Amino acid sequence: MMTMRPQEDLGVEAKKAAVREVAKLLPVPESLASIASIKADYALRQQANDAQLSVTVTTQVEQAQAGIEALSASQKTIQMLQQNFLLIDKLCQECQTLIENHDQIKLLSNARNNLNTTLKDIEGMMSISVEASEARDSLGDDRELVHTFERLTALDGKRRFALAAASSHKEEAGKLREYFEDVDRTWEKFEKTLWGHISNFFKLAKESPHTLVRALRVVEMQEVLDQQQAEEAAEAEGAGAMASITKPRRATKKPLTPPASPGFLVKEKMQGQGKCYKDKCYEYIRKSVEARFDKLLSKFVFEDLKVALEDGRSIAEELADIYDFVAPCFPPRYEIFQLTVQLYTERFIQMLRLLSDRANELSNIEILKVTGWVVEYQDHLIGLGVDQSLAQVCAESGAMDPLMNAYVERMQATMQKWYTNILEADKVHPPKKTDDGKLYTPAAVDLFRILGEQVQIVQENSTDVMLYRIALSVIQVMVDFQAAERQRLEEPVTEIGLEPLCAMVGFIQDGGILLCEG
């Protein structure tokens, strides 16, 4: 009864509240007309409330399902953890029985690790032949030159490791070396290709500079490897030296010397060790230059001077292309242009020495052609920016001395013969008269004209050294001519004659000044 009473009270209160709400909605009789709109508004509100309630219920149901799934997963995880704990307890119990066999277990573990390492090493060695074949195949493409070098360098590392591992077993080491012969053959072919490019540096620089640059990059990479190996060897040797110092032997007494510095040890180790690609690069360039001069020095210089000088001129003109095309391909520290100038000049000096050996066979005109060619070469070097002292090496090397000696001796002998003939002609032919009645002989005039022509020819076609030699020879000829004239003046007047004597006195007054100036 007590329970029913509150429910009835609630019903009564609800009715009263409803009546009050209706009274608010319908305060006057006229409001009854809006009942239809009130019902429609109520229906809309009820529909919106139902939709919102439906969405809320759906969301709560989904969340409840996700919670149930999470609980299920947690239960499975808990079960796995329980099983893992049981397994751990079981393993712990088993380990208690294995403690006595710990040494055997450790040996087994080491054996397993060693086996895995050995299998990897075997796989690496088995791949060496295949990698060597791939490297050999890539040699046909100049663009792969650097990549091929890197492959072969890696193969070298594998080979050194394998041989070091088998060093204690001579028979196995011998078999490994036979196995690695393919790598050696590939290296030989690679180096043949590399040095072929270096030897062909002049043509490649103009037609395929990228190929030349790649070849030089390989040289630089090998130099770095040689440096690293030398440093490692120096460090090892330095460590041994320090160990011997910290533990000296008392049996022998030797003067103490400071340990070698690392830089000194590196230089010592690099001498005669490594592949020395940079030195080989210079060597193949030198051989290439020698081949370029082969025909000139072995054939043309003996058979045809004109052809020899033309070939020498065309070779000298190549230095301009070396400056423009070859030098930019090389690292600046190689100083390749200076090197080629030196190599070319050395061989041109050799050409001049060979020609000097034939000095007696060459005419004066041919000797002047040779000296003129030297002047051209000297001017060509100066035009390319070579220092003048270096450009004059050919002229000042002494290689042309026999040629200059032959020319000067011939010229001096000819001049002496000419002035002797001139003096003899003066004795036979009477003196000539000038407009003012003075007597003169053309001997001195003719002699000075001839000497001037000789000096001019040498000046236009020879070097300063030869011009100096010719000037000395001309002075000697004029001194001899003056001595001959004086000797003639010492003869009796009756033998000379009055008119020739007057002409000679006139020469001394008018032309003697020129002679002294000469």
Side-chain angles (χ1 to χ4, degrees):
M1 291 294 292
M2 294 295 293
T3 305
M4 295 295 295
R5 187 67 181 174
Q7 292 180 353
E8 292 177 357
D9 293 341
L10 291 172
V12 173
E13 290 294 331
K15 289 180 181 181
K16 290 179 179 180
V19 171
R20 287 194 297 272
E21 185 67 24
V22 171
K24 290 179 180 180
L25 295 173
L26 304 171
V28 293
E30 289 80 2
S31 300
L32 294 175
S34 61
I35 292 176
S37 61
I38 293 173
K39 285 184 178 181
D41 183 58
Y42 172 77
L44 291 174
R45 289 182 180 180
Q46 185 178 11
Q47 185 178 1
N49 291 335
D50 291 342
Q52 183 177 2
L53 181 62
S54 176
V55 171
T56 304
V57 171
T58 301
T59 303
Q60 290 179 350
V61 170
E62 292 176 351
Q63 291 176 351
Q65 289 178 348
I68 293 171
E69 292 176 355
L71 288 174
S72 177
S74 299
Q75 185 177 4
K76 292 180 180 179
T77 303
I78 291 170
Q79 290 176 354
M80 290 177 64
L81 289 173
Q82 290 176 347
Q83 292 175 0
N84 290 335
F85 280 123
L86 292 175
L87 180 60
I88 290 171
D89 292 337
K90 183 179 178 182
L91 292 174
C92 288
Q93 292 177 359
E94 292 179 356
C95 288
Q96 291 178 356
T97 61
L98 294 175
I99 292 176
E100 297 177 355
N101 301 320
H102 176 71
D103 293 339
Q104 287 80 1
I105 294 173
K106 185 176 180 180
L107 291 174
L108 180 61
S109 177
N110 291 337
R112 181 179 180 183
N113 292 334
N114 291 336
L115 179 61
N116 290 333
T117 303
T118 303
L119 290 175
K120 291 180 180 179
D121 293 341
I122 291 174
E123 290 177 358
M125 285 188 289
M126 293 297 292
S127 66
I128 287 177
S129 180
V130 177
E131 293 177 5
S133 178
E134 293 175 352
R136 188 167 56 252
D137 293 339
S138 65
L139 284 175
D141 189 354
D142 291 334
R143 294 172 298 181
E144 294 293 319
L145 192 65
V146 176
H147 189 203
T148 303
F149 174 76
E150 293 173 343
R151 283 180 174 178
L152 291 174
T153 302
L155 289 175
D156 260 354
K158 292 181 179 181
R159 174 170 60 180
R160 285 195 301 270
F161 174 78
L163 292 175
S167 59
S168 58
H169 302 83
K170 293 183 179 180
E171 184 176 353
E172 294 180 2
K175 292 180 180 179
L176 284 175
R177 288 190 180 90
E178 293 178 1
Y179 181 71
F180 292 140
E181 286 181 357
D182 195 25
V183 178
D184 293 331
R185 288 192 293 269
T186 305
W187 263 117
E188 291 176 1
K189 186 175 181 181
F190 171 79
E191 291 187 343
K192 184 178 180 181
T193 301
L194 174 66
W195 301 128
H197 291 330
I198 296 297
S199 299
N200 198 26
F201 71 95
F202 183 76
K203 183 178 180 181
L204 281 180
K206 298 176 71 174
E207 298 180 359
S208 180
H210 295 295
T211 301
L212 180 59
V213 170
R214 293 188 191 99
L216 293 169
R217 184 182 172 190
V218 169
V219 173
E220 289 289 283
M221 292 170 69
Q222 183 59 51
E223 285 294 304
V224 172
L225 292 176
D226 289 348
Q227 177 74 16
Q228 291 175 351
Q229 293 175 6
E231 289 176 355
E232 292 173 359
E235 289 177 0
E237 185 172 333
M242 291 303 296
S244 63
I245 292 174
T246 55
K247 296 181 180 180
R249 295 184 180 180
R250 297 173 180 263
T252 58
K253 293 184 179 180
K254 294 183 179 180
L256 294 176
T257 56
S261 64
F264 176 77
L265 290 175
V266 168
K267 291 180 181 178
E268 288 292 315
K269 285 292 178 183
M270 288 190 69
Q271 292 181 355
Q273 294 192 9
K275 295 189 176 181
C276 302
Y277 270 14
K278 187 176 180 181
D279 294 338
K280 291 182 179 178
C281 177
Y282 285 136
E283 181 65 18
Y284 277 95
I285 290 174
R286 183 186 63 80
K287 290 181 178 179
S288 178
V289 173
E290 287 180 352
R292 180 66 181 90
F293 279 80
D294 184 56
K295 282 188 177 181
L296 173 63
L297 298 178
S298 63
K299 182 179 179 181
F300 297 154
V301 77
F302 298 105
E303 297 179 357
D304 192 330
L305 177 63
K306 182 179 179 181
V307 174
L309 295 179
E310 286 297 329
D311 190 51
R313 188 173 290 107
S314 63
I315 293 175
E317 290 173 354
E318 293 175 358
L319 289 172
D321 290 335
I322 291 175
Y323 184 88
D324 292 333
F325 299 102
V326 177
C329 295
F330 281 75
R333 64 179 176 278
Y334 279 57
E335 297 182 342
I336 192 64
F337 178 67
Q338 290 83 345
L339 174 64
T340 50
V341 168
Q342 178 183 348
L343 293 174
Y344 276 46
T345 303
E346 288 175 355
R347 277 138 195 87
F348 283 137
I349 290 175
Q350 185 178 354
M351 176 191 75
L352 294 176
R353 293 189 188 280
L354 293 173
L355 291 174
S356 293
D357 292 340
R358 301 174 51 220
N360 295 330
E361 302 175 13
L362 301 179
S363 65
N364 280 3
I365 294 177
E366 290 176 327
I367 292 176
L368 287 177
K369 288 181 179 179
V370 175
T371 57
W373 179 91
V374 173
V375 173
E376 288 182 14
Y377 179 64
Q378 179 176 304
D379 293 340
H380 183 58
L381 292 182
I382 294 174
L384 292 174
V386 178
D387 187 78
Q388 187 170 1
S389 60
L390 298 177
Q392 293 176 345
V393 170
C394 267
E396 299 176 354
S397 64
M400 291 195 302
D401 286 353
L403 292 173
M404 291 190 293
N405 292 338
Y407 184 89
V408 171
E409 290 173 0
R410 293 172 189 172
M411 193 272 301
Q412 190 169 356
T414 302
M415 292 299 100
Q416 290 174 347
K417 185 177 180 180
W418 283 351
Y419 81 70
T420 301
N421 293 336
I422 290 173
L423 292 176
E424 292 296 328
D426 278 351
K427 294 179 181 179
V428 178
H429 301 289
K432 296 181 180 181
K433 288 184 180 182
T434 62
D435 294 338
D436 56 0
K438 291 182 179 181
L439 296 173
Y440 76 95
T441 62
V445 177
D446 292 341
L447 179 63
F448 290 157
R449 176 180 55 78
I450 294 171
L451 293 178
E453 291 175 353
Q454 290 298 316
V455 172
Q456 184 177 1
I457 290 172
V458 173
Q459 187 176 10
E460 294 175 353
N461 297 279
S462 189
T463 62
D464 294 340
V465 176
M466 187 168 178
L467 181 61
Y468 174 73
R469 298 278 300 276
I470 290 297
L472 293 178
S473 177
V474 167
I475 292 174
Q476 185 61 46
V477 169
M478 290 191 295
V479 169
D480 294 342
F481 179 77
Q482 186 183 37
E485 286 285 284
R486 287 178 178 176
Q487 184 179 2
R488 188 180 178 194
L489 285 173
E490 294 175 357
E491 297 178 1
V493 177
T494 55
E495 294 183 7
I496 300 175
L498 182 60
E499 290 185 353
L501 182 61
C502 292
M504 292 174 64
V505 172
F507 161 74
I508 294 173
Q509 290 179 346
D510 299 332
I513 299 174
L514 296 176
L515 182 60
C516 293
E517 289 180 354

